[in-house]
Structures are given as C-alpha cells and as structure tokens.
Amino acid sequence: MAMAMSSSSSSSSGVTERRGIPAAAFVEDVQTYLSQLGLDVNSSLSFLQERLQQYRLVEMKLLAQQRDLQAKIPDIEKCLDVVATLQAKKGTGGAVLADFEVSEGIYSRARIEDTDSVCLWLGANVMLEYSCEEATDLLQRNLENARASLEVLVTDLQFLRDQVTITQVTIARIYNWDVHQRRIRQVSAAKDS
C-alpha cells in the first residue's frame, strides 16, 4: 500500500496520509505547483496518472477486504445464535435438531443432546473445542473486531475516493492550464509574425 509522496502545495484537509494512503494535494495555482515540483506538464501528468492507478489498486484491495468482512460478520452472528440456542436448550432434556454443511452444497442432519462445549472452526484446518461460555466470548470479540475493522475500511475507502477525486481534478486543471498556455503562445507567435 506504500506510495511515494512528492512535495506539492498543501492539501485542503492538511492530512498527509491515512494508513499508508498518501493524500492528494489540491492544486490552486498550476504554475506554482509545477515550479515547486520542478516538473513539466507531461511529467506531472504522468506522475498523477500513476498515482491515480495506485489509488485504484488500493481501492480494489480495500473493497475485497470489505466484501470479506461483510461476509464474515453474518457467519459470526450465526455462530453466536447457534451457541446461544445450545445454551438455552441445555438442561431441558430436549435435543436440538440441526442441519449442517458437510461439504459445499451437501448437508447432514444432527441430533445434539445437552452439551457443555462446542467446536469452532478457526480456519487453516484448525478446529478447537471451547466451553459454550468461552465460545460466546471469543465469537463476541471476533464480531466486535470485525465490525470495527469494517468501520475503518469504510473510512479508508471514503478517504481514498476523496484522493481520487482530488487527483482527477488536478489532472484536469493541469491539462486545461497547458491548453490555455499553448493558445497564448500561438496568439503571441501569430502577432510576432
């Protein structure tokens, strides 16, 4: 996620980066901007286009993480519901009938008698047995962490989208400034001849 930053005029928010995402500078005066960077129009446009591509790559990565978290949260909530159901049925003498996925699209029915523990799939071919209380605590912490991570991702995505917009506006301003400068030079050259 690291992107090289260059010196430029100050951004409107004063933030230089957010979690490794560099802030784009809002360019008010193109001439000053180009002078400060020591670049010509084509070099600065190339730099900004490259930066825009970097932003797009980071956005794709963050969107994938967001999708993963949005899929993970309902799974954690389902696990919490199952553990709560098992705890509620405990001591009543009634069994819980449950359908569980054996493989993708293949389900089996199970009859679950009173139980003091559950097995949680932790991923990477690891499953551990927890007491119902420990499982509830672990799942609750995982749910809180996933929701907090999702909030941070949403904020990062908004920041990133703002930087994309600022960069696109800067590209347009530099391009328009260059067109205007060329017209001035053409008019000046026509007057001199």
Side-chain angles (χ1 to χ4, degrees):
M1 208 186 303
M3 294 186 228
M5 295 207 34
S6 67
S7 63
S8 60
S9 61
S10 64
S11 66
S12 57
S13 64
V15 176
T16 58
E17 75 172 48
R18 175 176 169 79
R19 293 174 21 98
I21 304 167
F26 179 77
V27 176
E28 291 184 37
D29 181 7
V30 174
Q31 180 72 44
T32 305
Y33 175 77
L34 292 174
S35 297
Q36 285 178 348
L37 290 179
L39 295 174
D40 62 13
V41 171
N42 290 332
S43 297
S44 65
L45 287 173
S46 293
F47 168 77
L48 291 170
Q49 288 291 349
E50 184 178 318
R51 175 62 58 89
L52 199 55
Q53 285 302 104
Q54 291 170 338
Y55 285 146
R56 295 288 186 207
L57 289 173
V58 171
E59 181 181 33
M60 287 179 6
K61 179 182 172 189
L62 292 178
L63 286 171
Q65 290 174 357
Q66 182 183 29
R67 278 191 304 275
D68 290 347
L69 280 173
Q70 286 172 331
K72 186 179 186 179
I73 289 172
D75 288 345
I76 296 171
E77 289 170 337
K78 274 191 237 172
C79 287
L80 275 167
D81 289 343
V82 169
V83 172
T85 301
L86 290 174
Q87 283 180 307
K89 292 285 185 173
K90 187 177 172 182
T92 63
V96 175
L97 288 178
D99 293 329
F100 64 95
E101 193 170 17
V102 177
S103 182
E104 190 172 329
I106 300 173
Y107 292 85
S108 182
R109 181 156 285 174
R111 179 182 172 93
I112 303 170
E113 302 292 334
D114 278 352
T115 182
D116 292 329
S117 64
V118 294
C119 293
L120 296 179
W121 183 259
L122 302 179
N125 293 327
V126 175
M127 182 180 277
L128 288 178
E129 185 174 1
Y130 291 93
S131 70
C132 289
E133 293 79 18
E134 289 173 326
T136 300
D137 290 343
L138 176 67
L139 290 168
Q140 195 61 46
R141 277 194 313 272
N142 287 351
L143 182 60
E144 289 167 7
N145 289 340
R147 285 181 176 156
S149 295
L150 186 57
E151 272 185 51
V152 169
L153 271 174
V154 168
T155 306
D156 288 350
L157 279 166
Q158 183 57 51
F159 176 80
L160 189 60
R161 287 180 182 127
D162 290 345
Q163 304 324 298
V164 166
T165 301
I166 291 168
T167 303
Q168 289 171 331
V169 167
T170 300
I171 289 170
R173 290 180 71 125
I174 292 172
Y175 179 77
N176 290 339
W177 178 85
D178 185 45
V179 168
H180 181 71
Q181 294 301 312
R182 288 177 194 215
R183 284 185 185 151
I184 290 172
R185 284 192 296 270
Q186 285 175 349
V187 168
S188 177
K191 285 182 183 178
D192 292 341
S193 53

